[in-house]
Amino acid sequence: MLLAIDTSAGTSVAMVDGDRTLAEAASADPRGHAEAIGVLIERVLRESGAVPDAVVAGMGPGPFTGLRVGIAAARAFAYARGIPVHGVCSHDGIAEGRTAPTLVVTDARRREVAWSVYRDGERVDGPHLASPEELPSVVEGYTALDRVDAVEVSAASLALVAARLLAAGRPTGPDQPLYLRAPDVTVPAGPKRVTG
Amino acid sequence: MAEPVGVSAPVGAPLVLGIETSCDETGVGIVRGDRLLANVIASSMDEHARYGGVVPEVAARAHLEALTPALDAALARAGIALPEVDAIAVTSGPGLAGALMVGVGAAKALAVALGKPLYAVNHLVGHVGADLLTSSDGDDGETGETGGPLELPAIALLVSGGHTSLLLVRSLTDDVELLGETVDDAAGEAFDKVARLLGLPYPGGPEIDRAAAGGDPAAIAFPRGLTAAKDQERHRYDFSFSGLKTAVARYVEAERDAGRPVPVADVAASFREAVVDVLTAKAIRACADHGIPRLLLGGGVVANARLRELATARATDAGVLLRIPPLALCTDNGAMIAAVAARLIAAGHAPSSLGVGADSTLPVTVVQA
Ligand SMILES: [Zn+2]
C-alpha cells in the first residue's frame, strides 16, 4: 500500500494498492503547494481508509519551491509513521503506461525545459535541461519519439512506477531532489563604492 | 489510521513539537507547556558565508535535508516518542517564502500522519515566546532555572539578520502590537554589510564585535537613523540602518583614497555603538512612553555583547526590568514556536486550518495563522 505525493507541477496525492488506485486528490495551482499538501494527504487517507506501508515521493524535476513542499511532506509523513520513503523521478510518472519511444518535456522556468527520453517504458536519458529551441537537436539521435509536454504529474502514476520497481526487486530513486540547476547565486565582488 | 486533524484535546500542559524554517536555521524544539525539553538547531550559515548573506535557495535546500535528522535529534534529546506529542507547531511567517514552505509542508504531513492538531505560529511572536521557556538541564549540567513567567504587558525588541522590530505585547496569544520596525536593512544585515566593507567575513556580527575590541566607540560620529526631531512623529519606534551603512562606506573610502590605513577597530566600535545606541534608546523610550517597565530582547543580534551591555545599563537607569533568554533561544529555533503554540492551546485556541499557507510578510498582529 503506497501513499504517493508529487509537487513537481501541481500538487497530487494518491493511495495505491498494487495497480489499484484507492484514492487520488489533486490541485493544479502551480503556486499553492504549501496550502494544498495537508488537505490533500488528509483527504486521500480518509477516502481510501488505507494504512500505507511506504511513501512515494516525486523528486522532480520541477520548480524548486513547490517541489520541496512535497518531498518535505513525504519525508515527514514517512518519518512519523516509521515507514520508508521511495523517491521516483517525476518524469517517470508522466511516461508510465507508454511503451512507444517517448520524449517527456516539462517547464523548468528561466526559459528552459526539463526533458527525459523513454523506450519500452524505461527512462534511457534524462532528466536534463535544455532551451526549447535547442531541444529538437539535442534529442535528434532518438528516432520516432512521441513528445509529451506535461503540465501535471499524477501521484497515482508515480506510485505505479514505484510498485512495479519494488515488485521486481529493483531500486527506486533518486533520494535527492532533481534540481538540475545550482542555486542561482553569484559570489559578490568587493563592495561597490558609494562616493564618486 | 489517521484521525481527523484537531480532535485531540490535550489536558494539562500540552506536549508540543515546533518546527522553524523561516531563515537559515532548521529548528526543531519540543516543549511541555513552558518547559523546554529539546532545542535542536541545524544552521546552513556556513553555506552562505561565501555569498556574504543568506541565499534563500541555498537555505531552502538545506532545510529539506536537515529536517528529518533534526526531528530525530530533538525527540532523542526530549526522550519522547513522536506519537506522544499533543500538537505540531510551525512557523508560517514572516520569513523567506521558500524556506518557510519546507517547514509548513513537513509540519502538515506530521500532523496528518499522527492525527494531531496543527498550530501555525508567527515567527516574531515566537521570539517573545522564547522567554517563557524554563529549563533546568542545560547541556552543561544543572545550570539553574531560566525563564519563568513573563509579566505582561512588555516591550519586546527583536533584532536579527532578518528583522528589527519593536513590539508591545499585551497578550502572547491575542494581543501583540507592532510599534515600529526597520524601514530598510535589518540590524544584523547592517553588521554583515559593514563587515564586508571592512574586509571581514560573514556573519558580520561576531566579526565586528571582535574588531571593535580596543576601538573607540566615540572616534567617528556615525549617524543615528530616524532619531531626528522631525522623525519622531511618524518614525518614533522605527529603525533605519542603510544611511549608517553608507556613512561607514564613505568614511572608509575617504581614508583609503587619502592613502591612510583604515582604523578598523575605531570604525567597528563606532558603527556598533551607533546601532546599539539607537536600538536600546528606542526600546527604552517605548517602555517609558507606554509606562511599561519590562523589556524583552530576542533575535540573533542579542549575541552582540555591546547590545546586551548597553541595554542592561539603560534598563537599570530607567528602572526597566530587562529579560534576555539564553542565546540558544534568542536565535531562531523551533522551541519558541512550540512555546507559543502551547500557550495558544492552553488558552483554548482552535488549531490552524490544514489549508494554511506560508506568508513571508505575516503581520505580527496575527499570532496564529
Ligand atoms: Zn528570527
Side-chain angles (χ1 to χ4, degrees), chain B residues 134-163:
Chain B
T134 60
S135 165
S136 55
D137 66 333
D139 285 344
D140 47 352
E142 293 292 315
T143 53
E145 294 284 327
T146 58
L150 172 71
E151 202 187 326
L152 297 177
I155 302 294
L157 172 67
L158 309 179
V159 200
S160 77
H163 42 75

Side-chain angles (χ1 to χ4, degrees), chain B residues 285-328:
Chain B
R285 184 183 307 150
C287 291
D289 289 353
H290 292 86
I292 297 172
R294 286 170 296 277
L295 173 63
L296 162 74
L297 301 189
V301 175
V302 174
N304 190 288
R306 180 59 187 150
L307 174 59
R308 293 199 307 273
E309 185 181 278
L310 191 58
T312 304
R314 287 185 170 170
T316 305
D317 286 351
V320 167
L321 174 74
L322 181 68
R323 302 267 302 215
I324 308 177
L327 201 57

